[in-house]
Amino acid sequence: MRLKLRNIFLVYFVVSSVGLMYALLQIGQPCDCSQHLRSGSNAHGRSRHSFVPKGPRDLSEDDQLPVIYVVTPTYARPHQLAELTRLSQTLLLVPSLHWILVEDSAERSKAVADLLAQSGLHYTHLNVQTPPVMKLKDSDPNWLKPRGVEQRNEALRWLQLNRSPKDSGVVYFADDDNTYSIRIFQEMRYTQKVSVWLVGLVGGLRYEGPLVEKGRVVGFHTAWKPHRPFPIDMAGFAVSLSLLLSHPGARFDPNAERGFLESSLLGQLVSVGELEPRADNCTKVWVWHTRTEKPKLKQEEVLEKQGRGSDLNVQV
Amino acid sequence: MRLKLRNIFLVYFVVSSVGLMYALLQIGQPCDCSQHLRSGSNAHGRSRHSFVPKGPRDLSEDDQLPVIYVVTPTYARPHQLAELTRLSQTLLLVPSLHWILVEDSAERSKAVADLLAQSGLHYTHLNVQTPPVMKLKDSDPNWLKPRGVEQRNEALRWLQLNRSPKDSGVVYFADDDNTYSIRIFQEMRYTQKVSVWLVGLVGGLRYEGPLVEKGRVVGFHTAWKPHRPFPIDMAGFAVSLSLLLSHPGARFDPNAERGFLESSLLGQLVSVGELEPRADNCTKVWVWHTRTEKPKLKQEEVLEKQGRGSDLNVQV
C-alpha cells in the first residue's frame, strides 16, 4: 500500500510539474499581434495550404458576435498587393470578421492566395471575370463603366449558398482602395436591415451621406445626381445577412446607369425610412473614399534596354 | 509515515490541479488585438487628455524588445486624417513601437491630437513649420522641393534630447501615404547601424533598392539618378538609435539636391559596405511608395452657392 501510493505520487508529481511549467511559460509570452491567428480548423481561410476554398466556416464558435462579411472586389495592377496588404491589416483588428475577396480574373492568383493565407484572417477567396464588353480600358476614365459588379454579385451568390437564416451577420462592400477606421465596423455589426453613415471625400464633396433627424434618415447631403434613390457610396452602408438571405435574387445591376449601382441593390431591400443611421446619427466620418495614384513605371523600359529590368521573381 | 505521505500528496494534488486549471484557462483565451492597449502610465501618448506632450516615456518596461521609433511628417490636406488613420491602424499591430508624428504647422492641431489620443499607440506629437520659401505651392509638382525635412529633423532633435545611449531602438522615417506590411517592422527591429530593404513602386520602377551578394550590399537596383551615394527611398532604411545618438548633429539637409535627402543623412552615418540587408537579402517587397490622389471637391462650391455646403463641424 505504501509503495503504491508513493509511486502514484511520484508519477503524478513529475507529470504535473512538467505541465505546470509549460503552461506558465506560455502565459509569460507577450501578446504578439503581428502574428495574430485566430484558432480554427483547416477550413478555407485559415490554412496556409488552402488554395481552393473548402466548405463554409462557422465563425460563431470563435466569438459570439454577429459576423461582419467584408466583400472586396479586386483586380490585378501594380499596387494591388499594397492595397490588399493595408486593408487586410486593418481588418485584422476587427473581431468576428470574414473577408470575401473576389478577383476579377479567370483563375485565382497565387499572389492573392498567398496574401490571404498569411493574413491571419478568416477568408473566402473567389474569382469571376468581368465580361470583356464591361471592362474598362486602360485609357478609360475610371467612372466610365461600373466596376466590381460581377465580383460583388459572386460574393452574394456564395453567401446565398453557404449561409442560412440561423447565421447572424452583416455584409459590407469594401473596395480595396478606400480607407476604413476600425470604428466603422463597430457601427455596422448590429444592423437590423440596412445601416448607413457618412463617407468622406466622395461625390465631389468633403463628405456625402444621410441627413438625420430624430434618429431617422430624412434626406441626403449630396450634390452629384441627387435624384438617385439612394445617393450614397458603396462604402456608406451595410446590409444584414438575414435581409439578404430572405431576398435570394438580390444583386447589383451591371446595367445600372452610372452612380445607380448602390440604389440597384438597396431598392430591392429597403425604403429610405427604414435605414438605420450610425456613426453618431451620421455626423462622424469613419470611412473615406481614398484613391491611389497609378504608379509611374517608365524607368522600367530604361532598365530593360540595359538588360537590368526589375526581377519578375520579386513580388510587388 | 503513511498518513503524512498521503496528506502531502492530497495537498499537492489539490494545489497543482487548481494551478493547472487556471493556467490552461489562460492559454485558451484568444489574443484580442482589437482592444490591444499596452500597459502604461499617463505619459504623453497614452492618455486621452494629453494635448501637449509631457515628458519622455520609457517603453522598455512594456515589452523587452528594442523600440521602433516611427517618424512621420504630416501636413493638413483633405485626406490627412484618412492617411493617419490607416497608418495608425497598421502601427497598432506592431509591438514596442513609438510613433513620433510631426505636423508642418504653427501649432499642434486638435484633429491630429485627438487621433493620436484615440489611436491606442505610444506617441509623441510635435510640430514645426516649414519656412515659407521651402514650401510647395498647390500648383507645384510634388517633387519640386524636398518635403518633411524640418519635421524629420525636429524628431531627430527630440530623440537627441529625450533618449540616451542606454535606450535600445531603431528609427524609421515613414511617410504618411506609403503602405507598410507589418513584416517590415520585424525586419528592422534589430538594426546594428543601418538596415536596408527594397521599396515597391518608387523611382519609376516596380521596386528599387540594394543588390545583395553573400549577405552584403554590393550595388543598387535603381534607374533615377543612380549616382546618388544611397540611391534608396526614405522608406527603404532604418537607423539604430545608438548610431544616431552618437552623431548628435546628424540631420537631413534641407538644401540637398532633389533625390539626395536620404544620402544627406546616411552619408554622415555609414558606408555602403556597412549596410545590413533585410527582407530576405533584399528580395522581398514589404513596403510600397503608394501615393493618394488629391480628392475632387468641386461640388462643394455648387452646394455652397445653395447654402448647403458640407458642415465644417463634421471632421473629415
Side-chain angles (χ1 to χ4, degrees):
Chain A
M1 187 65 173
R2 189 191 303 169
L3 207 63
K4 253 190 169 179
L5 185 66
R6 180 168 38 168
N7 290 351
I8 294 169
F9 181 24
L10 278 171
V11 169
Y12 177 77
F13 179 77
V14 169
V15 169
S16 62
S17 303
V18 170
L20 256 173
M21 273 185 350
Y22 168 78
L24 290 168
L25 280 167
Q26 288 297 312
I27 291 173
Q29 296 303 316
C31 193
D32 182 8
C33 286
S34 59
Q35 291 158 8
H36 175 73
L37 288 175
R38 290 180 185 75
S39 65
S41 60
N42 271 355
H44 68 108
R46 297 308 295 142
S47 160
R48 286 175 178 273
H49 304 291
S50 73
F51 190 71
V52 176
K54 300 191 182 78
R57 173 174 177 77
D58 179 18
L59 281 172
S60 57
E61 56 199 349
D62 290 346
D63 311 291
Q64 275 137 12
L65 302 170
V67 176
I68 300 176
Y69 294 90
V70 176
V71 172
T72 301
T74 188
Y75 65 102
R77 72 278 198 200
H79 49 288
Q80 177 188 35
L81 296 184
E83 302 283 42
L84 295 179
T85 297
R86 61 182 164 185
L87 175 52
S88 70
Q89 289 171 174
T90 283
L91 299 183
L92 201 51
L93 294 165
V94 183
S96 197
L97 183 144
H98 184 128
W99 196 19
I100 303 178
L101 187 58
V102 194
E103 290 192 75
D104 184 347
S105 61
E107 287 173 4
R108 285 184 291 278
S109 69
K110 184 175 187 308
V112 172
D114 288 348
L115 183 144
L116 284 168
Q118 291 161 30
S119 66
L121 295 165
H122 296 283
Y123 66 87
T124 294
H125 185 186
L126 303 173
N127 69 290
V128 64
Q129 206 163 24
T130 302
V133 64
M134 299 298 296
K135 276 182 88 78
L136 284 173
K137 295 194 285 292
D138 267 359
S139 51
D140 285 338
N142 66 315
W143 45 258
L144 192 65
K145 293 179 180 134
R147 294 170 305 162
V149 185
E150 291 302 325
Q151 290 72 39
R152 294 185 196 95
N153 284 341
E154 183 68 11
L156 289 173
R157 270 187 286 272
W158 186 90
L159 285 165
Q160 295 288 350
L161 287 174
N162 293 283
R163 289 297 178 267
S164 76
K166 71 170 179 56
D167 298 302
S168 69
V170 64
V171 182
Y172 184 47
F173 300 96
D175 292 348
D176 67 6
D177 56 350
N178 290 334
T179 298
Y180 308 90
S181 166
I182 50 186
R183 299 179 80 158
I184 202 62
F185 298 100
Q186 298 165 12
E187 296 295 307
M188 69 181 69
R189 197 182 290 280
Y190 297 96
T191 298
Q192 300 295 309
K193 292 189 175 185
V194 176
S195 52
V196 287
W197 46 80
L198 300 181
V199 177
L201 309 174
V202 71
L205 300 172
R206 285 180 66 246
Y207 62 85
E208 182 191 66
L211 295 163
V212 176
E213 276 171 30
K214 296 180 187 169
R216 307 233 81 165
V217 175
V218 296
F220 295 90
H221 174 75
T222 182
W224 183 72
K225 293 192 181 177
H227 57 283
R228 293 175 280 162
F230 294 85
I232 59 179
D233 183 74
M234 191 67 69
F237 68 92
V239 186
S240 81
L241 181 63
S242 55
L243 183 66
L244 274 171
L245 294 179
S246 61
H247 291 78
R251 299 284 185 272
F252 292 98
D253 179 4
N255 298 308
E257 177 190 334
R258 193 157 74 84
F260 283 72
L261 208 55
E262 295 82 358
S263 302
S264 75
L265 178 75
L266 293 174
Q268 302 172 56
L269 301 173
V270 278
S271 64
V272 169
E274 292 176 303
L275 295 173
E276 300 146 51
R278 294 283 193 270
D280 214 0
N281 277 328
C282 299
T283 59
K284 298 286 191 291
V285 173
W286 285 328
V287 55
W288 299 259
H289 192 266
T290 45
R291 292 184 41 80
T292 304
E293 284 185 8
K294 196 173 164 177
K296 301 180 176 83
L297 295 173
K298 291 200 167 151
Q299 298 289 347
E300 284 291 348
E301 296 172 53
V302 172
L303 287 195
E304 285 286 341
K305 285 175 184 156
Q306 304 168 21
R308 294 192 298 125
S310 293
D311 182 349
L312 291 174
N313 288 323
V314 174
Q315 183 87 269
V316 176
Chain B
M1 186 65 171
R2 189 186 302 167
L3 205 64
K4 251 192 169 180
L5 188 66
R6 181 164 42 166
N7 290 350
I8 294 171
F9 182 23
L10 278 169
V11 169
Y12 178 79
F13 178 77
V14 169
V15 169
S16 62
S17 303
V18 170
L20 256 174
M21 270 182 355
Y22 168 78
L24 289 168
L25 279 168
Q26 287 298 311
I27 292 174
Q29 293 305 315
C31 195
D32 183 9
C33 288
S34 60
Q35 290 157 8
H36 177 75
L37 287 174
R38 292 177 185 78
S39 64
S41 60
N42 271 355
H44 69 105
R46 300 306 295 139
S47 160
R48 286 172 178 274
H49 305 290
S50 75
F51 189 72
V52 176
K54 301 192 183 75
R57 174 176 176 77
D58 179 19
L59 279 173
S60 57
E61 54 196 351
D62 290 345
D63 308 292
Q64 276 136 12
L65 302 171
V67 176
I68 300 176
Y69 295 90
V70 176
V71 173
T72 300
T74 188
Y75 66 102
R77 72 276 198 201
H79 47 289
Q80 177 188 34
L81 296 184
E83 302 283 43
L84 295 180
T85 297
R86 63 180 163 186
L87 175 53
S88 70
Q89 288 170 174
T90 282
L91 300 182
L92 201 52
L93 293 164
V94 183
S96 195
L97 182 144
H98 184 128
W99 197 17
I100 303 179
L101 188 57
V102 194
E103 290 192 75
D104 184 347
S105 59
E107 286 173 5
R108 285 185 292 278
S109 68
K110 184 177 189 306
V112 171
D114 288 348
L115 183 145
L116 284 169
Q118 293 161 29
S119 66
L121 295 164
H122 296 283
Y123 66 87
T124 293
H125 186 185
L126 303 174
N127 68 289
V128 63
Q129 207 164 23
T130 302
V133 64
M134 300 296 298
K135 275 183 88 80
L136 283 173
K137 294 194 285 293
D138 268 358
S139 51
D140 283 339
N142 67 313
W143 44 259
L144 192 65
K145 295 177 178 136
R147 294 167 309 162
V149 185
E150 290 304 324
Q151 291 71 39
R152 294 186 194 95
N153 284 343
E154 183 69 10
L156 289 174
R157 270 187 286 273
W158 186 90
L159 285 164
Q160 296 287 349
L161 289 174
N162 293 284
R163 289 296 178 268
S164 75
K166 69 169 178 59
D167 297 304
S168 68
V170 64
V171 181
Y172 184 47
F173 300 95
D175 292 349
D176 66 7
D177 56 352
N178 290 335
T179 300
Y180 308 90
S181 167
I182 50 186
R183 298 179 79 158
I184 202 62
F185 298 100
Q186 297 166 13
E187 295 296 307
M188 69 180 69
R189 196 181 293 279
Y190 298 97
T191 298
Q192 299 295 309
K193 293 190 175 185
V194 176
S195 52
V196 288
W197 45 81
L198 299 181
V199 177
L201 309 173
V202 72
L205 299 172
R206 286 178 68 246
Y207 63 85
E208 182 192 65
L211 294 165
V212 176
E213 276 172 29
K214 296 180 188 169
R216 305 232 82 163
V217 175
V218 296
F220 296 90
H221 174 74
T222 181
W224 183 72
K225 294 192 180 178
H227 57 284
R228 294 174 280 161
F230 295 86
I232 58 179
D233 183 73
M234 191 67 70
F237 68 92
V239 186
S240 80
L241 181 63
S242 55
L243 184 66
L244 274 171
L245 294 179
S246 62
H247 291 79
R251 300 285 185 272
F252 291 97
D253 179 2
N255 298 308
E257 177 192 334
R258 192 158 75 85
F260 282 72
L261 207 55
E262 295 82 358
S263 302
S264 74
L265 179 74
L266 293 174
Q268 304 172 54
L269 300 173
V270 277
S271 64
V272 169
E274 292 174 303
L275 296 172
E276 299 146 52
R278 292 286 193 270
D280 214 1
N281 276 328
C282 300
T283 59
K284 296 286 191 292
V285 173
W286 285 327
V287 55
W288 298 260
H289 193 267
T290 44
R291 292 183 43 80
T292 304
E293 282 185 9
K294 196 172 162 176
K296 300 179 176 85
L297 296 174
K298 291 200 167 153
Q299 297 289 348
E300 284 292 348
E301 296 172 54
V302 172
L303 287 194
E304 284 288 340
K305 285 176 185 152
Q306 303 169 19
R308 295 194 296 127
S310 293
D311 183 350
L312 291 175
N313 288 322
V314 174
Q315 184 89 271
V316 177

